[in-house]
Amino acid sequence: MKLTRRNAMVMGAGAFVALGLPLRASASLADDAIATFTGGAEMADSGITLTAPEIAENGNTVPVEVSAPGAAEILVLATGNPTPAVATFKFGALAASQTASTRIRLAGTQDVVAIAKMPDGTFAKASSTVKVTIGGCGG
Amino acid sequence: MAKGVKPRVKVPKKAAAGEAITIKTLISHKMESGQRKDDDGNLIPRSIINRFTCDFNGENVIDVTLEPAISTNPYLEFAATVPEAGEFKFTWYDDDGSVYEESKKIAIG
């Protein structure tokens, strides 16, 4: 087959589709996890803060902080990890503020998502893109 | 039981009644994610701490579900209200069924 401009374009598009598949697969895992948590409810954009670095040199320990005043529960997801779930924080009666920080693993550059469940059954969502130089899943 | 598991907790010794304090906890644990392979290409089985709770005089402060995406030596920082003198109780639950406990007293003053 002669390599024409048209053939090159077709092959290029094919490669993109092939590469895109695994990414999309894990993104839908994250969507599933969100749907399980919220039951498909609408999510507000305010009322929750997710603090994560813009660039993480080492994906093995990425410090993140979530804060959602008044929330009953906060779910943290890493949309690009092989398993998106990261942690669920449930706040009890003696929690002084609905804030928690921890260190997480990120497989690569991706969006980290935090969803807060309010006591009245509404949800709030925040997300932040983290660029990861070295992935943290030992692959 | 995973080897070398050592919980460490930082709680102020004293607080005013009703004051909000910050608690920092760290437990040494390898948090094997179940994604890694050993030199022969076999999958290393998952072995993590899957739950952490903190209670003060029997009342819950925070209950965290941890997944494999939490880093080695899980570190958690959160805030608690101290209504009276008493004891914070911290509990970590391992995948293998072990439970690690730590407690810290706090005085009002």
Side-chain angles (χ1 to χ4, degrees):
Chain A
M1 190 174 78
K2 220 174 94 188
L3 188 67
T4 60
R5 188 178 129 88
R6 180 169 299 174
N7 279 334
M9 297 279 278
V10 169
M11 284 195 298
F16 267 117
V17 171
L19 283 172
L21 274 178
L23 276 176
R24 226 172 292 154
S26 70
S28 74
L29 276 179
D31 288 342
D32 287 351
I34 294 173
T36 320
F37 186 69
T38 62
E42 285 289 309
M43 289 173 282
D45 287 334
S46 58
I48 178 164
T49 322
L50 170 68
T51 314
E54 236 170 79
I55 298 176
E57 273 183 20
N58 183 355
N60 265 316
T61 50
V62 183
V64 293
E65 184 180 346
V66 286
S67 169
E73 256 180 73
I74 300 180
L75 171 77
V76 181
L77 296 170
T79 52
N81 274 5
T83 52
V86 173
T88 313
F89 302 95
K90 286 193 191 95
F91 299 99
L94 284 180
S97 63
Q98 280 66 34
T99 304
S101 28
T102 186
R103 295 175 188 149
I104 68 172
R105 289 177 177 141
L106 296 175
T109 300
Q110 57 179 281
D111 288 340
V112 178
V113 176
I115 299 170
K117 185 185 200 174
M118 300 299 175
D120 61 2
T122 58
F123 295 90
K125 179 184 168 184
S127 75
S128 170
T129 306
V130 182
K131 286 197 175 98
V132 176
T133 321
I134 306 166
C137 283
Chain B
M1 179 164 161
K3 267 176 263 160
V5 176
K6 188 178 172 230
R8 267 166 279 190
V9 177
K10 210 167 182 184
V11 177
K13 287 194 175 64
K14 272 192 210 170
E19 191 188 336
I21 58 159
T22 301
I23 297 177
K24 296 176 183 179
T25 75
L26 187 137
I27 185 162
S28 41
H29 193 282
K30 60 188 182 332
M31 294 292 275
E32 194 57 65
S33 68
Q35 302 277 350
R36 298 198 310 151
K37 288 179 176 153
D38 64 15
D39 292 343
D40 305 326
N42 304 314
L43 215 56
I44 306 172
R46 175 183 134 154
S47 166
I48 66 163
I49 287 175
N50 55 44
R51 186 170 171 227
F52 165 79
T53 59
C54 171
D55 294 278
F56 180 74
N57 289 354
E59 240 194 300
N60 185 248
V61 176
I62 195 168
D63 184 338
V64 186
T65 309
L66 306 170
E67 306 283 350
I70 297 288
S71 300
T72 308
N73 304 337
Y75 165 82
L76 287 164
E77 186 183 326
F78 51 91
T81 311
V82 188
E84 71 233 354
E87 195 178 47
F88 279 104
K89 202 169 166 224
F90 306 91
T91 319
W92 291 262
Y93 299 85
D94 197 308
D95 262 355
D96 64 11
S98 318
V99 174
Y100 314 108
E101 282 177 343
E102 176 82 347
S103 55
K104 288 272 180 213
K105 282 196 173 65
I106 188 162
I108 294 296

